Short mmCIF file of all heavy atoms in Angstrom, two decimals:
data_model
loop_
_atom_site.label_atom_id
_atom_site.label_comp_id
_atom_site.label_asym_id
_atom_site.label_seq_id
_atom_site.Cartn_x
_atom_site.Cartn_y
_atom_site.Cartn_z
N ALA K 439 6.08 9.75 12.23
CA ALA K 439 6.10 8.70 11.20
C ALA K 439 6.86 7.44 11.63
O ALA K 439 6.93 6.46 10.90
CB ALA K 439 6.78 9.25 9.94
N GLY K 440 7.44 7.49 12.86
CA GLY K 440 8.05 6.28 13.43
C GLY K 440 9.52 6.34 13.74
O GLY K 440 10.08 5.41 14.30
N ALA K 441 10.20 7.42 13.38
CA ALA K 441 11.66 7.52 13.57
C ALA K 441 12.02 7.93 14.98
O ALA K 441 11.32 8.73 15.64
CB ALA K 441 12.26 8.50 12.57
N ASP K 442 13.15 7.43 15.45
CA ASP K 442 13.79 7.95 16.64
C ASP K 442 14.69 9.11 16.21
O ASP K 442 15.21 9.14 15.10
CB ASP K 442 14.63 6.88 17.35
CG ASP K 442 13.77 5.78 17.95
OD1 ASP K 442 12.64 6.06 18.42
OD2 ASP K 442 14.20 4.60 17.94
N ILE K 443 14.87 10.09 17.14
CA ILE K 443 15.52 11.35 16.74
C ILE K 443 16.81 11.58 17.51
O ILE K 443 16.79 11.52 18.79
CB ILE K 443 14.55 12.52 16.96
CG1 ILE K 443 13.20 12.27 16.28
CG2 ILE K 443 15.20 13.83 16.50
CD1 ILE K 443 13.25 12.13 14.78
N ILE K 444 17.83 11.91 16.80
CA ILE K 444 19.05 12.50 17.40
C ILE K 444 18.96 13.99 17.16
O ILE K 444 18.97 14.43 16.01
CB ILE K 444 20.33 11.96 16.75
CG1 ILE K 444 20.41 10.44 16.79
CG2 ILE K 444 21.56 12.59 17.40
CD1 ILE K 444 21.44 9.85 15.84
N GLY K 445 18.76 14.76 18.23
CA GLY K 445 18.57 16.21 18.08
C GLY K 445 19.80 16.97 18.50
O GLY K 445 20.42 16.64 19.53
N VAL K 446 20.16 17.99 17.73
CA VAL K 446 21.34 18.80 18.11
C VAL K 446 21.05 20.24 17.78
O VAL K 446 20.55 20.57 16.70
CB VAL K 446 22.62 18.29 17.37
CG1 VAL K 446 22.41 18.21 15.87
CG2 VAL K 446 23.81 19.18 17.74
N SER K 447 21.32 21.11 18.76
CA SER K 447 21.23 22.53 18.61
C SER K 447 22.27 23.18 19.49
O SER K 447 22.83 22.52 20.40
CB SER K 447 19.83 23.07 18.97
OG SER K 447 18.84 22.65 18.07
N ALA K 448 22.53 24.45 19.30
CA ALA K 448 23.57 25.14 20.05
C ALA K 448 23.25 25.16 21.54
O ALA K 448 24.17 25.12 22.41
CB ALA K 448 23.78 26.54 19.54
N THR K 449 21.97 25.25 21.90
CA THR K 449 21.61 25.41 23.30
C THR K 449 20.58 24.35 23.78
O THR K 449 19.84 24.56 24.72
CB THR K 449 20.99 26.81 23.57
OG1 THR K 449 19.83 26.98 22.73
CG2 THR K 449 22.01 27.91 23.26
N LEU K 450 20.56 23.21 23.15
CA LEU K 450 19.61 22.18 23.46
C LEU K 450 20.00 21.48 24.78
O LEU K 450 21.11 20.90 24.87
CB LEU K 450 19.55 21.12 22.36
CG LEU K 450 18.53 20.00 22.53
CD1 LEU K 450 17.08 20.55 22.46
CD2 LEU K 450 18.72 18.92 21.44
N PRO K 451 19.17 21.52 25.82
CA PRO K 451 19.52 20.86 27.07
C PRO K 451 19.51 19.35 26.95
O PRO K 451 18.78 18.79 26.10
CB PRO K 451 18.45 21.34 28.06
CG PRO K 451 17.30 21.75 27.23
CD PRO K 451 17.87 22.25 25.90
N GLN K 452 20.29 18.69 27.76
CA GLN K 452 20.36 17.22 27.70
C GLN K 452 19.04 16.58 28.10
O GLN K 452 18.67 15.50 27.58
CB GLN K 452 21.47 16.71 28.62
CG GLN K 452 22.87 17.06 28.14
CD GLN K 452 23.19 16.31 26.83
OE1 GLN K 452 23.01 15.13 26.69
NE2 GLN K 452 23.67 17.06 25.85
N ASN K 453 18.32 17.22 29.01
CA ASN K 453 17.04 16.65 29.47
C ASN K 453 16.00 17.77 29.59
O ASN K 453 16.35 18.93 29.89
CB ASN K 453 17.21 15.99 30.82
CG ASN K 453 18.15 14.80 30.79
OD1 ASN K 453 17.87 13.77 30.17
ND2 ASN K 453 19.32 14.93 31.44
N GLY K 454 14.75 17.39 29.41
CA GLY K 454 13.65 18.29 29.76
C GLY K 454 13.32 19.34 28.71
O GLY K 454 12.55 20.28 29.03
N SER K 455 13.86 19.29 27.51
CA SER K 455 13.49 20.25 26.50
C SER K 455 12.08 19.98 26.00
O SER K 455 11.56 18.87 26.08
CB SER K 455 14.46 20.27 25.33
OG SER K 455 14.36 19.07 24.60
N GLU K 456 11.44 21.00 25.42
CA GLU K 456 10.11 20.82 24.88
C GLU K 456 10.06 19.81 23.76
O GLU K 456 9.16 18.95 23.72
CB GLU K 456 9.61 22.20 24.37
CG GLU K 456 8.15 22.24 24.02
CD GLU K 456 7.68 23.64 23.68
OE1 GLU K 456 7.34 24.39 24.60
OE2 GLU K 456 7.64 23.95 22.46
#
Side-chain angles (χ1 to χ4, degrees):
D442 292 326
I443 308 297
I444 305 165
V446 54
S447 291
T449 59
L450 184 66
Q452 290 294 311
N453 297 293
S455 69
E456 191 174 276

